[in-house]
């Protein structure tokens, strides 16, 4: 009898088959490029969204994310959206089925590799069958005749997708219900977190190209005790920015929302109690589209509309941590005429400021 060497063959059950059908050709940017996977209840969970991000309003390359002023608010970690057409679903399941091959009469080569090859083929078929079973369970194909192919163009299967910015957030598992068939133009009322322009606006909030808060000072390098320091923001850089999140599908579905951020105020914290603020609150409001006012030689006898006067030197080899927090007001407008406000957001930066005493020479 032939002896077969024992070998450990690890088989990985690959249920993470991508459910993405591809982005429209006109899309500027696609987010959420994650493969689908299995949920805790054994269903297949779609994770690749058809939502497109476009716009930007000139925020530049070095952008930051806002911190919502409402600590209890955050964009949804997932939502449901129309994802798969009947023809796509049929092709998906047919492609996942194991190939049917005619049995071949094999010659006994007298090696263990024939047995191993046959074992791998059986394992591959088992995996394919399990993937098919997961798909059929997730899409509840027993409810539809031939995957609803006769209704092609009249609706889509809605599925749960993850917010790409929260892909690893446990809250993203909340959208793990079975995919359901939804006729065109009739959003599912019973499905929680079904995509709407407001949900798209909330997603776009995190995609806003916010420039980092960089303040301009005069004097720029070293401040002097009891002399005013003017503070302002570059008007060309700190201006309104916007992002549009849209969902355009081949069945004619269109939803979109544009989220806009506008600078509203700059709050200064001098890093010491020995300082006088302009204005007294330290909060500089936007005036004529400008935060603060750029210094020029002709303004040396004026009080800065936004600035600081340090009353004590920062000490030998020392500095004060000047903190500047820029607040952005956020609004949104949806393709269906809806719109409103989202929580204002902030971004802060800290600049080390050296303050020196005025040096004078006393002659006898």
């Amino acid at each position: 009898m032939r002896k077969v060497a024992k070998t450990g063959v690890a088989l990985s059950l690959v249920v993470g088959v991508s459910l993405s059908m591809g982005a429209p050709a006109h899309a500027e940017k696609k987010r959420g490029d994650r493969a689908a996977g299995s949920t805790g209840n054994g269903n297949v969970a779609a994770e690749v969204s058809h939502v497109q991000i476009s716009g930007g309003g000139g925020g530049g390359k070095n952008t930051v994310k806002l911190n919502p002023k409402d600590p209890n608010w955050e964009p949804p970690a997932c939502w449901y959206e129309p994802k798969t057409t009947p023809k796509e679903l049929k092709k998906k399941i047919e492609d996942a089925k194991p190939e049917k091959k005619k049995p071949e009469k094999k010659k006994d080569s007298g090696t263990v590799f024939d047995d191993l090859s046959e074992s791998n083929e059986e394992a591959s078929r088992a995996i394919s069958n399990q993937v098919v079973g997961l798909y059929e369970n997730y899409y509840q194909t027993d409810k539809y005749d031939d995957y609803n192919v006769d209704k092609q163009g009249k609706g889509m299967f809605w599925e749960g997708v993850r917010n790409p910015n929260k892909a690893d957030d446990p809250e993203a598992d909340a959208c793990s219900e079975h995919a359901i068939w939804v006729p065109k133009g009739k959003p599912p009322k019973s499905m929680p977190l079904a995509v709407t322009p407001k949900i798209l606006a909330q997603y776009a909030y995190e995609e806003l190209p916010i420039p980092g808060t960089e303040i301009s000072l005069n004097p720029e390098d070293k401040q002097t005790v009891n002399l005013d320091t003017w503070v302002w923001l570059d008007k060309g850089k700190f201006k309104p920015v916007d992002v549009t999140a849209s969902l355009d599908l081949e069945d004619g579905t269109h939803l979109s929302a544009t989220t806009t951020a506008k600078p509203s105020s700059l709050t200064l914290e001098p890093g010491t109690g020995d300082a006088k603020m302009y204005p007294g609150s330290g909060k500089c409001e936007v005036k004529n589209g400008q935060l603060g006012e750029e210094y020029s030689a002709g303004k040396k006898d004026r009080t800065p509309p936004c600035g600081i006067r340090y009353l004590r030197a920062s000490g030998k080899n020392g500095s004060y941590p000047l903190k500047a927090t820029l607040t952005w007001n956020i609004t949104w407008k949806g393709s269906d005429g809806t719109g409103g406000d989202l929580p204002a957001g902030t971004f802060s930066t800290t600049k080390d400021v050296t303050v020196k005493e005025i040096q004078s020479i006393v002659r006898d």
Side-chain angles (χ1 to χ4, degrees), residues 264-321:
S264 62
S265 64
L266 178 68
T267 301
L268 302 176
E269 299 175 55
T272 174
D274 294 314
K276 182 178 180 179
M277 306 301 299
Y278 303 105
S281 65
K283 184 177 182 179
C284 308
E285 303 283 355
V286 172
K287 292 184 179 179
N288 300 320
Q290 177 73 41
L291 273 166
E293 187 176 317
E294 185 174 359
Y295 177 80
S296 62
K299 301 174 182 177
K300 64 179 182 178
D301 295 325
R302 289 176 48 190
T303 298
C306 182
I308 306 169
R309 175 183 290 186
Y310 284 100
L311 307 177
R312 187 183 299 273
S314 54
K316 186 177 181 180
N317 300 321
S319 61
Y320 293 127

Side-chain angles (χ1 to χ4, degrees), residues 322-354:
L322 170 59
K323 183 178 180 181
T325 301
L326 182 57
T327 297
W328 298 75
N329 288 338
I330 315 296
T331 58
W332 68 278
K333 186 175 182 180
S335 55
D336 60 353
T338 56
D341 296 329
L342 292 173
T346 64
F347 187 80
S348 302
T349 190
T350 300
K351 183 180 181 69
D352 290 331
V353 175
T354 301

Side-chain angles (χ1 to χ4, degrees), residues 64-138:
V64 298
K65 289 187 180 296
L66 290 175
N67 298 307
K69 295 189 75 172
D70 180 355
N72 297 317
W73 183 88
E74 60 181 358
C78 66
W79 58 81
Y80 291 89
E81 67 181 56
K83 282 281 296 162
T84 305
T85 67
K87 288 184 178 179
E88 289 170 341
L89 175 57
K90 183 173 183 177
K91 185 177 186 304
K92 189 192 309 291
I93 293 181
E94 292 298 324
D95 287 349
K97 291 180 179 179
E99 282 188 59
K100 294 182 179 179
K101 295 182 178 180
K102 295 181 179 180
E104 297 180 4
K105 186 176 181 181
K106 297 192 305 180
K107 296 181 180 179
D108 188 355
S109 63
T111 69
V112 300
F113 297 107
D114 291 327
D115 290 342
L116 185 57
S117 176
E118 184 177 346
S119 176
N120 285 341
E121 287 181 8
E122 291 177 356
S124 178
R125 286 193 293 272
I127 291 173
S128 295
N129 285 326
Q130 189 160 354
V131 171
V132 170
L134 286 170
Y135 277 140
E136 290 177 338
N137 178 50
Y138 179 64

